[in-house]
C-alpha cells in the first residue's frame, strides 16, 4: 500500500507514521528526516538544505525529487510506503504522480490530518524544548505555517480529484488519532 500523509507542521505526521509502520509493516519515508540526515552528514546538499530549512522555506523541487527517487529505489519501498512531508506543493504532487505512474504504483491513499493552528504552536513549542530542532523557533514555525497554507494546502485538492483523499481530525490523544487513521485505511481496503 502506498500512503501519503498530509498535514500542517506539528499536525502529527511523523508521530502517526511511526505507529502506522508497525501496524502495516511498511517503511516510513520522511523527507524532513532525509534532509536532517543530510545536514548531520555535513554533505554539500545538507549544507544547502540547512539554510533553507532554518528559514522555514521549501528546499528546491529538484533536490527533493532526487532525494525521493533515490529513497524509493531501495528494496524496502517496493511493496509500499508511508510518505511524510512530500509532496509539499503542486509541482511535487505532479512529479510524484508521474514517477509512480512510471512504476505502475500509484498512491492508494492520501491522509490529511486536520488541526487547529493554536494546537500546533503549543505542540511545537513543547517539541522545541524536548528535541531542539533548529527550525522549531516561534518565528520559523510561523513561516512554516505560512508556507504550508500558501503552497502545501492546495495539494489536498490534487488528491481529492484523484479520489484517494481522506480527512482525519488531528485533535485528541495520539492513540485517538491513530484509531481514526486505522479506521479510514480499513474502509479503503474493504471497499
Ligand atoms: P518536516 O520535517 O516535514 O516538518 P513539518 O512538515 O514542518 O512537520 P513536523 O515534523 O514539524 O510535524 P509533524 O506533522 O511530523 O508532527 P509530529 O508528529 O512531529 O520538514 C522540515 C523542513 O524540511 C521543511 O520546513 C522544509 O524546509 C524541508 N522539507 C521537508 N520536506 C520537503 C519537501 N518535500 N519539499 C521541500 N522542502 C521540504 O508532532 C509534533 C509534536 O507534537 C511532537 O512533539 C509530537 O510528540 C506531538 N504530538 C503529535 N501528536 C500529538 C497528539 N495527538 N497529542 C499531543 N501531542 C502530539
Ligand atoms: Mg515530521
Amino acid at each position: 500500500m502506498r500512503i501519503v500523509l498530509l498535514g500542517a507542521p506539528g499536525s502529527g505526521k511523523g508521530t502517526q507514521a511511526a505507529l502506522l509502520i508497525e501496524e502495516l509493516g511498511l517503511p516510513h519515508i520522511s523527507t524532513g528526516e532525509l534532509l536532517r540526515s543530510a545536514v548531520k552528514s555535513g554533505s554539500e546538499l545538507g549544507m544547502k538544505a540547512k539554510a533553507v530549512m532554518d528559514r522555514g522555506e521549501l528546499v528546491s523541487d529538484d533536490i527533493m525529487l532526487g532525494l525521493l527517487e533515490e529513497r524509493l529505489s531501495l528494496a524496502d519501498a517496493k511493496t509500499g510506503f508511508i510518505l511524510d512531508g512530500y509532496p509539499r506543493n503542486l509541482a511535487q504532487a505532479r512529479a510524484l504522480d508521474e514517477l509512480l505512474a512510471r512504476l505502475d504504483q500509484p498512491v492508494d491513499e492520501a491522509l490529511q490530518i486536520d488541526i487547529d493552528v493554536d494546537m500546533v504552536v503549543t505542540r511545537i513549542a513543547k517539541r522545541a524544548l524536548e528535541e531542539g530542532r533548529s527550525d522549531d523557533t516561534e518565528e520559523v514555525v510561523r513561516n512554516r505555517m505560512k508556507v504550508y497554507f500558501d503552497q502545501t494546502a492546495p495539494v489536498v485538492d490534487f488528491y481529492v480529484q484523484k479520489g484517494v483523499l481522506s480527512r482525519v481530525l488531528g485533535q485528541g490523544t495520539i492513540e485517538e488519532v491513530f484509531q481514526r487513521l486505522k479506521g479510514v485505511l480499513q474502509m479503503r481496503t474493504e471497499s
Side-chain angles (χ1 to χ4, degrees):
M1 193 175 208
R2 289 163 298 274
I3 300 171
V4 168
L5 277 183
L6 300 170
S11 58
K13 301 181 297 296
T15 304
Q16 295 300 328
L19 296 173
L20 287 168
I21 57 169
E22 272 181 38
E23 183 79 17
L24 303 172
L26 295 171
H28 174 200
I29 302 182
S30 157
T31 48
E33 293 297 335
L34 290 177
L35 288 168
R36 283 186 284 280
S37 301
V39 170
K40 235 190 204 160
S41 77
S43 66
E44 202 185 320
L45 185 151
M47 312 268 263
K48 262 197 213 160
K50 181 170 174 29
V52 180
M53 292 165 82
D54 282 350
R55 291 195 302 270
E57 278 158 24
L58 297 183
V59 175
S60 81
D61 291 346
D62 283 355
I63 289 182
M64 293 316 299
L65 187 60
L67 266 183
L68 185 69
E69 276 191 271
E70 195 178 292
R71 181 62 188 85
L72 288 180
S73 72
L74 299 185
D76 66 343
K78 297 294 174 223
T79 52
F81 49 78
I82 298 175
L83 190 53
D84 151 16
Y86 194 103
R88 262 324 214 260
N89 58 29
L90 280 175
Q92 291 188 6
R94 291 190 195 107
L96 177 65
D97 198 49
E98 278 166 27
L99 173 64
L100 295 180
R102 268 205 308 277
L103 303 170
D104 200 20
Q105 295 185 340
V107 167
D108 299 300
E109 183 69 48
L111 297 169
Q112 159 77 8
I113 306 179
D114 282 321
I115 188 113
D116 258 20
V117 173
D118 290 352
M119 188 149 301
V120 162
V121 172
T122 314
R123 283 187 189 174
I124 292 187
K126 187 162 169 268
R127 186 177 63 189
L129 295 175
E130 289 165 359
E131 292 178 23
R133 236 173 81 171
S134 62
D135 60 347
D136 274 349
T137 61
E138 198 185 324
E139 192 191 342
V140 178
V141 170
R142 218 176 294 128
N143 198 35
R144 281 160 58 199
M145 292 305 286
K146 182 177 172 349
V147 168
Y148 174 77
F149 286 112
D150 290 350
Q151 301 187 48
T152 311
V155 168
V156 170
D157 271 345
F158 180 89
Y159 288 110
V160 168
Q161 276 160 29
K162 297 222 162 271
V164 295
L165 188 99
S166 300
R167 287 176 182 276
V168 159
L169 192 65
Q171 245 93 302
T173 65
I174 290 170
E175 183 59 27
E176 282 166 348
V177 180
F178 180 52
Q179 291 304 328
R180 287 180 202 131
L181 290 169
K182 270 206 317 191
V184 166
L185 290 174
Q186 216 156 9
M187 276 191 337
R188 182 72 70 180
T189 45
E190 282 166 7
S191 68

